[in-house]
Amino acid sequence: MKVLIIEDEQPAAEKLKRYLLKHDPTIEICSTLTSVESSIKWLNTNQGVLDLIFMDIQLEDGLSFEIFSSIKVNTPVIFTTAYDEYAIDAFKVNSIDYLLKPITY
């Protein structure tokens, strides 16, 4: 399974990586991105190789929902955030789950 992590907090990204690889060591983390801008650029050229995206909502340069306004995201998304007020918005895009931080194994 090929996974993209979009998370601007380094400790949270590292923790998610550890949990994913503990669950399935064959998971390939294709990239870890920290901003809306870098995510749009990366997804424009690489989205076709992904099976799943883990995406925080608050990124260093805005809300991740801006990604969906800029490009069509066909890959299933699991939102990982500390904010419960965005759950409805998350399911209006290609979201399959909504995990509240702190995430535990």
Side-chain angles (χ1 to χ4, degrees), residues 1 3-5 16 18-19 28 37 40 44 50 52 58 71-73 87 96 100:
M1 175 182 286
V3 172
L4 172 65
I5 296 175
L16 182 56
R18 280 194 315 274
Y19 287 169
E28 178 184 341
E37 183 180 346
I40 291 168
N44 268 328
L50 294 175
L52 185 61
Q58 297 261 345
I71 62 168
K72 181 164 177 55
V73 178
I96 60 170
L100 286 175

Side-chain angles (χ1 to χ4, degrees), residues 8 10 14 36 44 46-47 49 58 60 63 65 71 81-82 84 93 96:
D8 64 334
Q10 184 68 23
E14 291 299 322
V36 171
N44 268 328
N46 299 292
Q47 184 174 189
V49 304
Q58 297 261 345
E60 62 188 28
L63 297 179
F65 295 116
I71 62 168
T81 184
D84 62 355
V93 294
I96 60 170

Side-chain angles (χ1 to χ4, degrees), residues 81-95:
T81 184
Y83 303 98
D84 62 355
E85 65 264 24
Y86 296 107
I88 300 293
D89 293 328
F91 287 106
K92 290 179 182 176
V93 294
N94 208 23
S95 175

Side-chain angles (χ1 to χ4, degrees), residues 5-59:
I5 296 175
I6 302 174
E7 169 65 66
D8 64 334
E9 296 176 18
Q10 184 68 23
E14 291 299 322
K15 184 178 185 181
L16 182 56
K17 285 181 194 177
R18 280 194 315 274
Y19 287 169
L20 289 171
L21 294 173
K22 182 178 178 181
H23 176 73
D24 182 353
T26 66
I27 289 176
E28 178 184 341
I29 309 295
C30 296
S31 189
T32 301
L33 307 169
T34 60
S35 69
V36 171
E37 183 180 346
S38 64
S39 299
I40 291 168
K41 287 179 184 175
W42 195 94
L43 287 166
N44 268 328
T45 57
N46 299 292
Q47 184 174 189
V49 304
L50 294 175
D51 297 303
L52 185 61
I53 300 171
F54 285 88
M55 185 181 295
D56 188 14
I57 289 179
Q58 297 261 345
L59 300 174

